[in-house]
Amino acid sequence: MKVLKFGGTSVGSAQRIKDVATLICRNSKDIVVLSAMSGTTNSLVEISDYLYKKNRDGANEVINRLSSKYSDVINDLYGTKEYKEKAKEVISYIFNDIRSMVKDLFTLFEERIILAQGELMSTALMDLYLKEKGVNSVILPALDYMRTDKNAEPDLKYIKGNLKLLFEKNREADVYITQGYICRNAYGEIDNLQRGGSDYTASLAGAAMQAEEIQIWTDIDGMHNNDPRIVKETSPVRQLNFDEAAELAYFGAKILHPTCILPAKMNNIPVRLLNTMQPDAWGTTISNETEKGKIKAIAAKDNIIAIKIKSGRMLLATGFLRKVFEIFETFHTPIDMVTTSEVGVSVTIDNDRKLEEIVDDLKKFGTVTVDKDMVIVCVVGDMVWDNLGFEAKTINALKDIPVRMISYGGSNYNVSLLIKASDKKRALQALSNNLF
């Protein structure tokens, strides 16, 4: 059994749904995880925003526009009157539920219910289309097995037990369809997985069922060795270690969320990144295997802020770093990079929400300098320290570009460099030219 996840663009139109259905039917007994149709979640967020502001007319206008879009998809998707009517009935029921939320009292509870409707609609449309084509398809409702605990983390034991129970009850089916992103929380309320969304669902379902492979289908042919929007002549990376993939995802490779592959990694299940527009392309395989002695890819993380704390008291001062890091912890602000010297420490953050308060507290310990509009460039591969020359090649590629910070040795998989945003394009191209 495999788990196949298809993102919003992959099911973004009637034709795309038909194409995905063809891919699904190449094998049997697979679990298929679907995101909401592209644009749907944004519309549902917009509806919620209007309802928070008590603007009923604005909410109803977006609801009507979204409902009309789904009516068009239904007319284009199904070939028989019977299934068009079935689909219209299901979708009308969901939109009536959304319209029932247009009231004075609107809270986070109602918002989460509204945000869940996109995945419920996409899976209903796919299930009915497969049935019209004679495929024995069944929906495994995510709200019946996907649950988070009181810490908003996946309840792995509950997920495994309930998903297997649903699977056993429907063993005769050829294809199993389920919703990505949505779940119930520890109190039984409709909620969502947030980080990684549908990718996280696929990874959790694959781990629960001990799948042979998890496939993430998008509109890109795997993870590229650099940003194809900026750099000329990039190419897909054929193989990545889970840790390499997590580094790339964290530092800017948007195709994958850094946390969503952890269940696959822990259960030793390979993840493949594939392209619905080019289904026969190899894509990228992510596993626990490491290709020795190779630089794999480059990623960049934007909107970085560098903070330097310089203090004569730091020299040999026990507890100085602890006090600095506790300030960031107090304001719930994660740190990306750290470099230290005898008289100071530099760190980077990607969130300026509490910057003023953080700087105020840091001034108790020394002189504080802030640099905005920075970018972290991350070079990923087999970066074990005794692999001669990899870090030197990386730094040499940027010999004509000012580098604010360098981080190396924190893991065996990356070298990170902090540069000005204005130098990003030049840096990424120079690294590609020199490393690949």
Side-chain angles (χ1 to χ4, degrees), residues 392-420:
K393 286 177 71 175
T394 299
I395 295 166
N396 187 58
L398 301 183
K399 63 182 184 294
D400 297 322
I401 295 171
V403 176
R404 167 73 174 75
M405 290 170 63
I406 299 172
S407 177
Y408 174 58
S411 86
N412 290 332
Y413 297 100
N414 86 45
V415 175
S416 297
L417 307 103
L418 185 70
I419 62 172
K420 289 184 285 189

PDB file of all heavy atoms in Angstrom, residues 392-420:
ATOM      1  N   ALA A 392      34.779  25.379   2.094  1.00  0.00           N
ATOM      2  CA  ALA A 392      35.651  26.343   1.400  1.00  0.00           C
ATOM      3  C   ALA A 392      35.075  26.688   0.025  1.00  0.00           C
ATOM      4  O   ALA A 392      35.080  27.857  -0.389  1.00  0.00           O
ATOM      5  CB  ALA A 392      37.058  25.774   1.262  1.00  0.00           C
ATOM      6  N   LYS A 393      34.559  25.679  -0.704  1.00  0.00           N
ATOM      7  CA  LYS A 393      33.958  25.931  -2.016  1.00  0.00           C
ATOM      8  C   LYS A 393      32.739  26.843  -1.889  1.00  0.00           C
ATOM      9  O   LYS A 393      32.515  27.726  -2.728  1.00  0.00           O
ATOM     10  CB  LYS A 393      33.540  24.604  -2.667  1.00  0.00           C
ATOM     11  CG  LYS A 393      34.702  23.777  -3.193  1.00  0.00           C
ATOM     12  CD  LYS A 393      34.220  22.448  -3.751  1.00  0.00           C
ATOM     13  CE  LYS A 393      33.451  22.623  -5.049  1.00  0.00           C
ATOM     14  NZ  LYS A 393      33.082  21.310  -5.645  1.00  0.00           N
ATOM     15  N   THR A 394      31.962  26.619  -0.823  1.00  0.00           N
ATOM     16  CA  THR A 394      30.765  27.438  -0.602  1.00  0.00           C
ATOM     17  C   THR A 394      31.141  28.891  -0.356  1.00  0.00           C
ATOM     18  O   THR A 394      30.584  29.811  -0.972  1.00  0.00           O
ATOM     19  CB  THR A 394      29.976  26.885   0.599  1.00  0.00           C
ATOM     20  OG1 THR A 394      29.568  25.538   0.325  1.00  0.00           O
ATOM     21  CG2 THR A 394      28.757  27.729   0.882  1.00  0.00           C
ATOM     22  N   ILE A 395      32.096  29.109   0.541  1.00  0.00           N
ATOM     23  CA  ILE A 395      32.491  30.475   0.884  1.00  0.00           C
ATOM     24  C   ILE A 395      33.201  31.148  -0.285  1.00  0.00           C
ATOM     25  O   ILE A 395      32.978  32.333  -0.572  1.00  0.00           O
ATOM     26  CB  ILE A 395      33.382  30.462   2.146  1.00  0.00           C
ATOM     27  CG1 ILE A 395      32.552  29.975   3.340  1.00  0.00           C
ATOM     28  CG2 ILE A 395      33.962  31.843   2.423  1.00  0.00           C
ATOM     29  CD1 ILE A 395      33.371  29.599   4.553  1.00  0.00           C
ATOM     30  N   ASN A 396      34.011  30.393  -1.010  1.00  0.00           N
ATOM     31  CA  ASN A 396      34.728  30.952  -2.157  1.00  0.00           C
ATOM     32  C   ASN A 396      33.769  31.414  -3.257  1.00  0.00           C
ATOM     33  O   ASN A 396      34.036  32.391  -3.958  1.00  0.00           O
ATOM     34  CB  ASN A 396      35.701  29.912  -2.713  1.00  0.00           C
ATOM     35  CG  ASN A 396      36.584  30.503  -3.800  1.00  0.00           C
ATOM     36  OD1 ASN A 396      37.304  31.473  -3.575  1.00  0.00           O
ATOM     37  ND2 ASN A 396      36.509  29.910  -4.996  1.00  0.00           N
ATOM     38  N   ALA A 397      32.635  30.708  -3.389  1.00  0.00           N
ATOM     39  CA  ALA A 397      31.653  31.098  -4.404  1.00  0.00           C
ATOM     40  C   ALA A 397      31.096  32.489  -4.130  1.00  0.00           C
ATOM     41  O   ALA A 397      30.648  33.185  -5.044  1.00  0.00           O
ATOM     42  CB  ALA A 397      30.515  30.069  -4.446  1.00  0.00           C
ATOM     43  N   LEU A 398      31.133  32.905  -2.857  1.00  0.00           N
ATOM     44  CA  LEU A 398      30.580  34.211  -2.473  1.00  0.00           C
ATOM     45  C   LEU A 398      31.682  35.227  -2.175  1.00  0.00           C
ATOM     46  O   LEU A 398      31.474  36.166  -1.412  1.00  0.00           O
ATOM     47  CB  LEU A 398      29.673  34.042  -1.252  1.00  0.00           C
ATOM     48  CG  LEU A 398      28.477  33.089  -1.406  1.00  0.00           C
ATOM     49  CD1 LEU A 398      27.624  33.079  -0.152  1.00  0.00           C
ATOM     50  CD2 LEU A 398      27.629  33.453  -2.610  1.00  0.00           C
ATOM     51  N   LYS A 399      32.820  35.047  -2.800  1.00  0.00           N
ATOM     52  CA  LYS A 399      33.966  35.926  -2.502  1.00  0.00           C
ATOM     53  C   LYS A 399      33.699  37.386  -2.859  1.00  0.00           C
ATOM     54  O   LYS A 399      34.327  38.286  -2.301  1.00  0.00           O
ATOM     55  CB  LYS A 399      35.221  35.423  -3.224  1.00  0.00           C
ATOM     56  CG  LYS A 399      35.168  35.432  -4.733  1.00  0.00           C
ATOM     57  CD  LYS A 399      36.458  34.865  -5.318  1.00  0.00           C
ATOM     58  CE  LYS A 399      36.476  34.951  -6.846  1.00  0.00           C
ATOM     59  NZ  LYS A 399      35.447  34.088  -7.458  1.00  0.00           N
ATOM     60  N   ASP A 400      32.755  37.647  -3.760  1.00  0.00           N
ATOM     61  CA  ASP A 400      32.456  39.027  -4.155  1.00  0.00           C
ATOM     62  C   ASP A 400      31.178  39.553  -3.506  1.00  0.00           C
ATOM     63  O   ASP A 400      30.663  40.614  -3.900  1.00  0.00           O
ATOM     64  CB  ASP A 400      32.311  39.107  -5.682  1.00  0.00           C
ATOM     65  CG  ASP A 400      33.611  38.739  -6.401  1.00  0.00           C
ATOM     66  OD1 ASP A 400      34.678  39.121  -5.889  1.00  0.00           O
ATOM     67  OD2 ASP A 400      33.544  38.060  -7.441  1.00  0.00           O
ATOM     68  N   ILE A 401      30.639  38.793  -2.522  1.00  0.00           N
ATOM     69  CA  ILE A 401      29.386  39.180  -1.873  1.00  0.00           C
ATOM     70  C   ILE A 401      29.615  39.295  -0.363  1.00  0.00           C
ATOM     71  O   ILE A 401      30.139  38.360   0.251  1.00  0.00           O
ATOM     72  CB  ILE A 401      28.284  38.143  -2.173  1.00  0.00           C
ATOM     73  CG1 ILE A 401      27.957  38.155  -3.678  1.00  0.00           C
ATOM     74  CG2 ILE A 401      27.023  38.427  -1.354  1.00  0.00           C
ATOM     75  CD1 ILE A 401      27.064  37.040  -4.132  1.00  0.00           C
ATOM     76  N   PRO A 402      29.249  40.407   0.276  1.00  0.00           N
ATOM     77  CA  PRO A 402      29.441  40.549   1.722  1.00  0.00           C
ATOM     78  C   PRO A 402      28.609  39.524   2.496  1.00  0.00           C
ATOM     79  O   PRO A 402      27.416  39.369   2.231  1.00  0.00           O
ATOM     80  CB  PRO A 402      28.945  41.977   2.014  1.00  0.00           C
ATOM     81  CG  PRO A 402      28.892  42.663   0.696  1.00  0.00           C
ATOM     82  CD  PRO A 402      28.647  41.607  -0.333  1.00  0.00           C
ATOM     83  N   VAL A 403      29.247  38.825   3.434  1.00  0.00           N
ATOM     84  CA  VAL A 403      28.572  37.815   4.248  1.00  0.00           C
ATOM     85  C   VAL A 403      28.569  38.295   5.701  1.00  0.00           C
ATOM     86  O   VAL A 403      29.622  38.561   6.287  1.00  0.00           O
ATOM     87  CB  VAL A 403      29.273  36.445   4.140  1.00  0.00           C
ATOM     88  CG1 VAL A 403      28.614  35.440   5.074  1.00  0.00           C
ATOM     89  CG2 VAL A 403      29.226  35.941   2.697  1.00  0.00           C
ATOM     90  N   ARG A 404      27.389  38.424   6.280  1.00  0.00           N
ATOM     91  CA  ARG A 404      27.232  38.952   7.647  1.00  0.00           C
ATOM     92  C   ARG A 404      27.516  37.893   8.715  1.00  0.00           C
ATOM     93  O   ARG A 404      28.117  38.169   9.745  1.00  0.00           O
ATOM     94  CB  ARG A 404      25.809  39.493   7.784  1.00  0.00           C
ATOM     95  CG  ARG A 404      25.322  39.811   9.176  1.00  0.00           C
ATOM     96  CD  ARG A 404      25.961  41.049   9.748  1.00  0.00           C
ATOM     97  NE  ARG A 404      25.351  41.389  11.018  1.00  0.00           N
ATOM     98  CZ  ARG A 404      25.573  40.754  12.171  1.00  0.00           C
ATOM     99  NH1 ARG A 404      26.418  39.736  12.207  1.00  0.00           N
ATOM    100  NH2 ARG A 404      24.970  41.139  13.282  1.00  0.00           N
ATOM    101  N   MET A 405      27.068  36.648   8.479  1.00  0.00           N
ATOM    102  CA  MET A 405      27.278  35.550   9.435  1.00  0.00           C
ATOM    103  C   MET A 405      27.491  34.251   8.675  1.00  0.00           C
ATOM    104  O   MET A 405      26.969  34.084   7.555  1.00  0.00           O
ATOM    105  CB  MET A 405      26.064  35.374  10.363  1.00  0.00           C
ATOM    106  CG  MET A 405      25.851  36.467  11.378  1.00  0.00           C
ATOM    107  SD  MET A 405      24.230  36.327  12.221  1.00  0.00           S
ATOM    108  CE  MET A 405      24.399  34.741  13.070  1.00  0.00           C
ATOM    109  N   ILE A 406      28.217  33.315   9.302  1.00  0.00           N
ATOM    110  CA  ILE A 406      28.391  31.965   8.754  1.00  0.00           C
ATOM    111  C   ILE A 406      28.141  30.972   9.880  1.00  0.00           C
ATOM    112  O   ILE A 406      28.660  31.133  10.987  1.00  0.00           O
ATOM    113  CB  ILE A 406      29.806  31.751   8.188  1.00  0.00           C
ATOM    114  CG1 ILE A 406      30.098  32.726   7.049  1.00  0.00           C
ATOM    115  CG2 ILE A 406      29.970  30.306   7.689  1.00  0.00           C
ATOM    116  CD1 ILE A 406      31.541  32.706   6.576  1.00  0.00           C
ATOM    117  N   SER A 407      27.328  29.948   9.591  1.00  0.00           N
ATOM    118  CA  SER A 407      27.072  28.896  10.571  1.00  0.00           C
ATOM    119  C   SER A 407      27.419  27.542   9.948  1.00  0.00           C
ATOM    120  O   SER A 407      26.852  27.160   8.921  1.00  0.00           O
ATOM    121  CB  SER A 407      25.600  28.912  10.997  1.00  0.00           C
ATOM    122  OG  SER A 407      25.334  27.849  11.897  1.00  0.00           O
ATOM    123  N   TYR A 408      28.337  26.825  10.586  1.00  0.00           N
ATOM    124  CA  TYR A 408      28.780  25.534  10.062  1.00  0.00           C
ATOM    125  C   TYR A 408      29.107  24.621  11.242  1.00  0.00           C
ATOM    126  O   TYR A 408      29.693  25.065  12.229  1.00  0.00           O
ATOM    127  CB  TYR A 408      30.015  25.719   9.181  1.00  0.00           C
ATOM    128  CG  TYR A 408      30.642  24.425   8.692  1.00  0.00           C
ATOM    129  CD1 TYR A 408      29.904  23.506   7.957  1.00  0.00           C
ATOM    130  CD2 TYR A 408      31.980  24.134   8.969  1.00  0.00           C
ATOM    131  CE1 TYR A 408      30.476  22.329   7.504  1.00  0.00           C
ATOM    132  CE2 TYR A 408      32.559  22.963   8.514  1.00  0.00           C
ATOM    133  CZ  TYR A 408      31.800  22.057   7.787  1.00  0.00           C
ATOM    134  OH  TYR A 408      32.365  20.882   7.342  1.00  0.00           O
ATOM    135  N   GLY A 409      28.695  23.366  11.145  1.00  0.00           N
ATOM    136  CA  GLY A 409      29.002  22.413  12.199  1.00  0.00           C
ATOM    137  C   GLY A 409      27.842  22.121  13.128  1.00  0.00           C
ATOM    138  O   GLY A 409      27.917  21.216  13.952  1.00  0.00           O
ATOM    139  N   GLY A 410      26.755  22.876  12.996  1.00  0.00           N
ATOM    140  CA  GLY A 410      25.580  22.601  13.821  1.00  0.00           C
ATOM    141  C   GLY A 410      24.907  21.303  13.436  1.00  0.00           C
ATOM    142  O   GLY A 410      24.247  20.662  14.254  1.00  0.00           O
ATOM    143  N   SER A 411      25.035  20.914  12.173  1.00  0.00           N
ATOM    144  CA  SER A 411      24.561  19.616  11.713  1.00  0.00           C
ATOM    145  C   SER A 411      25.553  19.093  10.684  1.00  0.00           C
ATOM    146  O   SER A 411      26.476  19.806  10.286  1.00  0.00           O
ATOM    147  CB  SER A 411      23.158  19.730  11.090  1.00  0.00           C
ATOM    148  OG  SER A 411      23.231  20.072   9.723  1.00  0.00           O
ATOM    149  N   ASN A 412      25.357  17.869  10.258  1.00  0.00           N
ATOM    150  CA  ASN A 412      26.224  17.279   9.241  1.00  0.00           C
ATOM    151  C   ASN A 412      25.732  17.567   7.835  1.00  0.00           C
ATOM    152  O   ASN A 412      26.231  16.992   6.869  1.00  0.00           O
ATOM    153  CB  ASN A 412      26.316  15.764   9.429  1.00  0.00           C
ATOM    154  CG  ASN A 412      27.108  15.398  10.670  1.00  0.00           C
ATOM    155  OD1 ASN A 412      27.982  16.139  11.097  1.00  0.00           O
ATOM    156  ND2 ASN A 412      26.785  14.252  11.255  1.00  0.00           N
ATOM    157  N   TYR A 413      24.727  18.457   7.718  1.00  0.00           N
ATOM    158  CA  TYR A 413      24.058  18.569   6.429  1.00  0.00           C
ATOM    159  C   TYR A 413      24.019  19.969   5.842  1.00  0.00           C
ATOM    160  O   TYR A 413      23.529  20.133   4.732  1.00  0.00           O
ATOM    161  CB  TYR A 413      22.623  18.028   6.541  1.00  0.00           C
ATOM    162  CG  TYR A 413      22.581  16.570   6.896  1.00  0.00           C
ATOM    163  CD1 TYR A 413      22.331  16.161   8.201  1.00  0.00           C
ATOM    164  CD2 TYR A 413      22.840  15.598   5.942  1.00  0.00           C
ATOM    165  CE1 TYR A 413      22.319  14.817   8.534  1.00  0.00           C
ATOM    166  CE2 TYR A 413      22.838  14.249   6.261  1.00  0.00           C
ATOM    167  CZ  TYR A 413      22.573  13.870   7.564  1.00  0.00           C
ATOM    168  OH  TYR A 413      22.572  12.542   7.890  1.00  0.00           O
ATOM    169  N   ASN A 414      24.491  21.003   6.558  1.00  0.00           N
ATOM    170  CA  ASN A 414      24.379  22.317   5.929  1.00  0.00           C
ATOM    171  C   ASN A 414      25.466  23.301   6.347  1.00  0.00           C
ATOM    172  O   ASN A 414      26.089  23.165   7.392  1.00  0.00           O
ATOM    173  CB  ASN A 414      22.989  22.915   6.159  1.00  0.00           C
ATOM    174  CG  ASN A 414      22.852  23.674   7.461  1.00  0.00           C
ATOM    175  OD1 ASN A 414      23.703  24.452   7.834  1.00  0.00           O
ATOM    176  ND2 ASN A 414      21.755  23.447   8.150  1.00  0.00           N
ATOM    177  N   VAL A 415      25.666  24.275   5.465  1.00  0.00           N
ATOM    178  CA  VAL A 415      26.404  25.497   5.760  1.00  0.00           C
ATOM    179  C   VAL A 415      25.420  26.633   5.503  1.00  0.00           C
ATOM    180  O   VAL A 415      24.797  26.698   4.441  1.00  0.00           O
ATOM    181  CB  VAL A 415      27.630  25.677   4.845  1.00  0.00           C
ATOM    182  CG1 VAL A 415      28.303  27.025   5.118  1.00  0.00           C
ATOM    183  CG2 VAL A 415      28.623  24.551   5.033  1.00  0.00           C
ATOM    184  N   SER A 416      25.244  27.524   6.490  1.00  0.00           N
ATOM    185  CA  SER A 416      24.307  28.639   6.343  1.00  0.00           C
ATOM    186  C   SER A 416      25.066  29.953   6.355  1.00  0.00           C
ATOM    187  O   SER A 416      25.991  30.143   7.155  1.00  0.00           O
ATOM    188  CB  SER A 416      23.277  28.622   7.473  1.00  0.00           C
ATOM    189  OG  SER A 416      22.487  27.451   7.410  1.00  0.00           O
ATOM    190  N   LEU A 417      24.668  30.859   5.464  1.00  0.00           N
ATOM    191  CA  LEU A 417      25.326  32.157   5.357  1.00  0.00           C
ATOM    192  C   LEU A 417      24.267  33.249   5.336  1.00  0.00           C
ATOM    193  O   LEU A 417      23.227  33.107   4.683  1.00  0.00           O
ATOM    194  CB  LEU A 417      26.161  32.237   4.073  1.00  0.00           C
ATOM    195  CG  LEU A 417      27.177  31.089   3.881  1.00  0.00           C
ATOM    196  CD1 LEU A 417      26.639  30.100   2.847  1.00  0.00           C
ATOM    197  CD2 LEU A 417      28.525  31.627   3.440  1.00  0.00           C
ATOM    198  N   LEU A 418      24.536  34.333   6.045  1.00  0.00           N
ATOM    199  CA  LEU A 418      23.603  35.449   6.106  1.00  0.00           C
ATOM    200  C   LEU A 418      24.114  36.582   5.220  1.00  0.00           C
ATOM    201  O   LEU A 418      25.241  37.053   5.379  1.00  0.00           O
ATOM    202  CB  LEU A 418      23.454  35.939   7.546  1.00  0.00           C
ATOM    203  CG  LEU A 418      22.401  37.024   7.766  1.00  0.00           C
ATOM    204  CD1 LEU A 418      20.998  36.455   7.583  1.00  0.00           C
ATOM    205  CD2 LEU A 418      22.546  37.645   9.147  1.00  0.00           C
ATOM    206  N   ILE A 419      23.263  37.018   4.284  1.00  0.00           N
ATOM    207  CA  ILE A 419      23.634  38.085   3.353  1.00  0.00           C
ATOM    208  C   ILE A 419      22.496  39.098   3.264  1.00  0.00           C
ATOM    209  O   ILE A 419      21.397  38.867   3.759  1.00  0.00           O
ATOM    210  CB  ILE A 419      23.931  37.520   1.942  1.00  0.00           C
ATOM    211  CG1 ILE A 419      22.674  36.839   1.366  1.00  0.00           C
ATOM    212  CG2 ILE A 419      25.115  36.564   1.971  1.00  0.00           C
ATOM    213  CD1 ILE A 419      22.786  36.425  -0.078  1.00  0.00           C
ATOM    214  N   LYS A 420      22.769  40.226   2.615  1.00  0.00           N
ATOM    215  CA  LYS A 420      21.722  41.220   2.393  1.00  0.00           C
ATOM    216  C   LYS A 420      20.736  40.714   1.334  1.00  0.00           C
ATOM    217  O   LYS A 420      21.132  40.036   0.382  1.00  0.00           O
ATOM    218  CB  LYS A 420      22.341  42.544   1.935  1.00  0.00           C
ATOM    219  CG  LYS A 420      23.112  43.280   3.021  1.00  0.00           C
ATOM    220  CD  LYS A 420      23.619  44.624   2.551  1.00  0.00           C
ATOM    221  CE  LYS A 420      24.814  44.494   1.633  1.00  0.00           C
ATOM    222  NZ  LYS A 420      25.459  45.799   1.344  1.00  0.00           N
TER     223      LYS A 420
END
